[in-house]
Amino acid sequence: MRGAALAFGVAVSLGVAMSAGAVTPAAADVVIGSDRGGMIGDYVARYQRVRQSGERVVIDGTCLSACTLVLGMVPRDRVCATRNAALGFHAAWNPDAAGNQVTSPVATRLLWSLYPAHVRQWIARNGGLTHRMLMMRGRALAAVVPPCDGAPQRAIVTARRAVAAPGQARAYRRAATAITVPTMADAAMAR
């Protein structure tokens, strides 16, 4: 009897695990809640995966530096911003021998080339990519990124790959962000 109960428990657990894995990526939202950016290559790889998955990206907080590459890497019709969203743009940089930030013209050109034309126009009108952070929010943001049509259906938190039920989406949005924040060592590298 004990063996049958154990087998039943394993079968139920396996069934739950398989059904959780059956959630299609296109049915989920990747939520950016607070992302300070990091290494450009890391974000290019992340957003290529998101673009290929069919997921929608909801910007629901700050998206700074390399995080803003989402605008050029994920189709515009799959990116939206809530009223809490703010985007921050600046020139890419590398640390010098003393740890100071030194602008990288090559990496800055790469950033520039990955942004869509309407984003490049806004950046140019506001002073260009320099060491100073340019913040886009409110009406300027709404002109570049469509507003979201309400709360995300599901939020995927990459660190745990936990999927929230529709009623729990808000709690997951406020917890960890879907795009993992780079470590401090990564943040010190080219932004």
Side-chain angles (χ1 to χ4, degrees), residues 57-101:
V57 176
V58 176
I59 304 170
D60 187 32
T62 56
C63 175
L64 308 176
S65 191
C67 175
T68 61
L69 288 175
V70 68
L71 301 177
M73 301 290 305
V74 177
R76 188 172 193 263
D77 65 340
R78 290 194 359 237
V79 178
C80 69
T82 70
R83 66 175 178 251
N84 300 321
L87 301 177
F89 304 88
H90 66 84
W93 59 270
N94 287 312
D96 65 10
N100 299 313
Q101 295 179 9

Side-chain angles (χ1 to χ4, degrees), residues 40 90-96 100-112 129-131 188-191:
I40 294 170
H90 66 84
W93 59 270
N94 287 312
D96 65 10
N100 299 313
Q101 295 179 9
V102 177
T103 299
S104 169
V106 171
T108 300
R109 280 193 297 275
L110 174 62
L111 275 175
W112 187 257
L129 292 176
T130 67
H131 69 282
M189 299 310 287
R191 293 176 174 229

Side-chain angles (χ1 to χ4, degrees), residues 15-176:
V16 169
M18 289 175 65
S19 68
V23 174
T24 61
D29 291 334
V30 174
V31 180
I32 299 173
S34 178
D35 191 323
R36 298 177 309 166
M39 296 181 71
I40 294 170
D42 292 345
Y43 282 83
V44 168
R46 288 175 191 168
Y47 293 143
Q48 282 176 336
R49 285 190 301 269
V50 170
R51 182 180 64 225
Q52 292 168 353
S53 74
E55 294 169 311
R56 180 177 78 149
V57 176
V58 176
I59 304 170
D60 187 32
T62 56
C63 175
L64 308 176
S65 191
C67 175
T68 61
L69 288 175
V70 68
L71 301 177
M73 301 290 305
V74 177
R76 188 172 193 263
D77 65 340
R78 290 194 359 237
V79 178
C80 69
T82 70
R83 66 175 178 251
N84 300 321
L87 301 177
F89 304 88
H90 66 84
W93 59 270
N94 287 312
D96 65 10
N100 299 313
Q101 295 179 9
V102 177
T103 299
S104 169
V106 171
T108 300
R109 280 193 297 275
L110 174 62
L111 275 175
W112 187 257
S113 72
L114 293 172
Y115 290 133
H118 60 284
V119 173
R120 289 194 307 259
Q121 291 167 356
W122 182 89
I123 292 170
R125 281 193 312 270
N126 287 278
L129 292 176
T130 67
H131 69 282
R132 183 177 61 90
M133 183 76 71
L134 292 175
M135 294 303 295
M136 179 191 287
R137 49 175 66 91
R139 287 187 179 143
L141 179 60
V144 171
V145 181
C148 297
D149 297 333
Q153 293 299 309
R154 292 183 181 93
I156 293 184
V157 181
T158 350
R160 293 186 303 240
R161 291 304 284 182
V163 179
Q168 295 174 321
R170 181 174 210 81
Y172 277 100
R173 256 196 347 235
R174 297 290 177 221

